[in-house]
Amino acid sequence: RTNFYAEQGGQVGDNGFVTTPTGRFEVEDVQKLGDAILHVGRVVEGRVECGQATNLEVGDARPHTMRNHTATHLMNWALRKVLGGEINQKGSLVDAEKTRFDFTHDKPLSAEEIAEVERLVNEKIYSDLPVTAVTTPLAEAKNIPGARAVFGEKYPDPVRVLLIGAETPKDATLETSVEFCGGTHLPRTGQAGFFKIIGQE
């Protein structure tokens, strides 16, 4: 058990420190291996022994990663609004510095389309909407209006669903961002601050 997030679903793993009575371990990355969570790093003070009580401290990058992850979900929703529902997510990279979002589309976005995506995302941010994670049976989750999943990805049953703009699945509409997601997110969209697309390639 750990409060560190292991890299998955496009979100990078946490960093931080594990402190024991005899030493301090710097966590540089966190990875999942089967059901185990691997804390990758090095001992920076003293020594660390098996069976010790530990204090786990997630690093300062987590809040910035949360901002970018919530913004990624809003961008996915906005892209479908602007370009049509046929676009599909093909991957992403979310860290403390940025979000990169890979999706299917047959041509580059125009300046007008980019501006409209930015406007829609920032409108959701400024509305300070609730961001709610719920766990629900997979079959029910697939029937939530507007629900999105990454094609080809395997999801557990029950699945964790992230709602932006609704507090329960019954409140969700096509204006709600609804995605299957195990990542870390803001409690409210207003904490994202401001969204800007700085590149397209």
Side-chain angles (χ1 to χ4, degrees):
R1 293 182 301 161
T2 179
N3 58 338
F4 279 72
Y5 182 81
E7 180 179 330
Q8 61 183 328
Q11 181 177 331
V12 299
D14 280 329
N15 59 16
F17 291 94
V18 177
T19 306
T20 76
T22 59
R24 191 165 165 86
F25 181 86
E26 182 177 8
V27 179
E28 296 165 351
D29 190 18
V30 183
Q31 297 285 328
K32 198 168 186 181
L33 181 63
D35 291 330
I37 305 296
L38 306 180
H39 298 68
V40 182
R42 58 196 173 89
V43 176
V44 293
E45 291 176 25
R47 68 186 190 286
V48 175
E49 300 173 359
C50 288
Q52 288 184 308
T54 59
N55 181 53
L56 281 72
E57 180 184 350
V58 174
D60 295 340
R62 165 82 74 84
H64 303 295
T65 303
M66 291 165 63
R67 280 190 195 94
N68 288 333
H69 202 161
T70 299
T72 302
H73 282 226
L74 292 173
M75 178 172 52
N76 189 2
W77 169 84
L79 283 166
R80 292 194 316 275
K81 291 280 286 184
V82 173
L83 302 177
E86 72 279 358
I87 71 154
N88 283 305
Q89 180 178 348
K90 290 297 182 181
S92 66
L93 173 65
V94 180
D95 61 24
E97 302 295 320
K98 67 191 173 306
T99 180
R100 187 200 77 219
F101 188 77
D102 309 324
F103 64 98
T104 56
H105 193 52
D106 59 358
K107 59 188 172 192
L109 275 68
S110 67
E112 293 78 15
E113 288 170 332
I114 290 173
E116 181 62 5
V117 169
E118 290 174 339
R119 185 191 71 77
L120 288 168
V121 172
N122 283 312
E123 190 175 79
K124 295 286 190 187
I125 290 171
Y126 301 154
S127 297
D128 196 31
L129 302 171
V131 180
T132 310
V134 296
T135 302
T136 186
L138 186 57
E140 291 179 20
K142 289 178 179 178
N143 291 322
I144 300 172
R148 301 295 288 191
V150 178
F151 180 75
E153 184 131 339
K154 291 183 178 178
Y155 292 97
D157 190 5
V159 67
R160 185 174 183 262
V161 181
L162 195 89
L163 311 167
I164 301 180
E167 295 187 358
T168 70
K170 291 178 182 177
D171 302 329
T173 70
L174 295 180
E175 293 300 307
T176 307
S177 167
V178 181
E179 292 190 43
F180 299 176
C181 182
T184 62
H185 286 271
L186 302 169
R188 299 194 69 85
T189 59
Q191 294 171 304
F194 181 73
F195 173 81
K196 181 73 179 168
I197 295 173
I198 60 170
Q200 175 180 206
E201 57 189 63

